[in-house]
């Protein structure tokens, strides 16, 4: 059971995302999935690199939560992923540029094994 944001996404095989896992334990996970040359989910069941895990317990069924994520480029082409939950900064994770070659693209949402109601906003910058 999880919900998350695709921060940079070329396709389902090549992306950077943050997941708020609810079960089996609550945590935020920053992941990169790289399968260069592949673009269909059925062709890339692997290729995950876990960049960071951070325990975070706040989830209650039928409660509203605010989740904000940001990825920004810093010096030397490296990146920083920031996550806030319910307006509390949860983590900042630096990511080496070698982990993200050619992963650019649009943001999106991913959910697994749950029913979620959400509003989704993307900054134009």
């Amino acid at each position: 059971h999880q919900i998350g944001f695709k921060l940079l996404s070329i396709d389902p095989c090549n992306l950077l995302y943050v997941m708020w896992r609810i079960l089996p334990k609550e945590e935020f996970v920053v992941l990169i999935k790289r399968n260069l040359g592949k673009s269909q989910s059925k062709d890339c069941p692997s290729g995950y690199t876990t960049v960071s895990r951070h325990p975070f317990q706040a989830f209650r069924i039928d409660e509203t939560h605010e989740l904000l994520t940001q990825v920004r480029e810093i010096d030397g082409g490296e990146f920083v992923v920031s996550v806030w939950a319910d307006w509390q900064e949860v983590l900042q994770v630096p990511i080496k540029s070698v982990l993200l070659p050619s992963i650019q693209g649009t943001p999106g949402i991913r959910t697994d094994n749950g029913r979620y109601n959400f509003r989704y906003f993307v900054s134009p910058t």
Side-chain angles (χ1 to χ4, degrees), residues 1 20-28 53 55-57:
H1 294 75
W20 185 352
R21 291 190 175 152
I22 300 161
L23 291 173
K25 64 181 178 179
E26 277 192 78
E27 63 182 349
F28 281 102
R53 292 179 181 273
F56 187 78
Q57 295 183 330

Side-chain angles (χ1 to χ4, degrees), residues 5 7 18 28 66-70 82-87 121:
F5 293 116
L7 301 176
V18 173
F28 281 102
E66 304 268 340
L67 181 61
L68 173 70
T69 59
Q70 177 187 54
S82 301
V83 177
W84 295 264
D86 297 330
W87 301 103
F121 303 94

Side-chain angles (χ1 to χ4, degrees), residues 25-39:
K25 64 181 178 179
E26 277 192 78
E27 63 182 349
F28 281 102
V29 184
V30 178
L31 297 132
I32 295 171
K33 185 175 183 184
R34 288 186 57 211
N35 292 276
L36 299 177
K38 297 180 181 178
S39 62

Side-chain angles (χ1 to χ4, degrees), residues 13-103:
C13 294
N14 298 281
L15 54 113
L16 165 67
Y17 60 100
V18 173
M19 297 302 294
W20 185 352
R21 291 190 175 152
I22 300 161
L23 291 173
K25 64 181 178 179
E26 277 192 78
E27 63 182 349
F28 281 102
V29 184
V30 178
L31 297 132
I32 295 171
K33 185 175 183 184
R34 288 186 57 211
N35 292 276
L36 299 177
K38 297 180 181 178
S39 62
Q40 301 293 318
S41 292
K42 63 182 170 70
D43 298 329
C44 60
S46 61
Y48 292 93
T49 299
T50 300
V51 177
S52 177
R53 292 179 181 273
H54 183 80
F56 187 78
Q57 295 183 330
F59 189 83
R60 302 278 188 268
I61 293 175
D62 295 328
E63 284 186 356
T64 299
H65 295 279
E66 304 268 340
L67 181 61
L68 173 70
T69 59
Q70 177 187 54
V71 60
R72 67 183 192 284
E73 191 170 355
I74 58 174
D75 296 334
E78 295 191 4
F79 296 84
V80 172
V81 171
S82 301
V83 177
W84 295 264
D86 297 330
W87 301 103
Q88 172 188 340
E89 186 173 49
V90 177
L91 59 96
Q92 274 197 349
V93 179
I95 299 177
K96 302 278 186 202
S97 58
V98 297
L99 293 175
L100 292 174
S102 72
I103 295 183

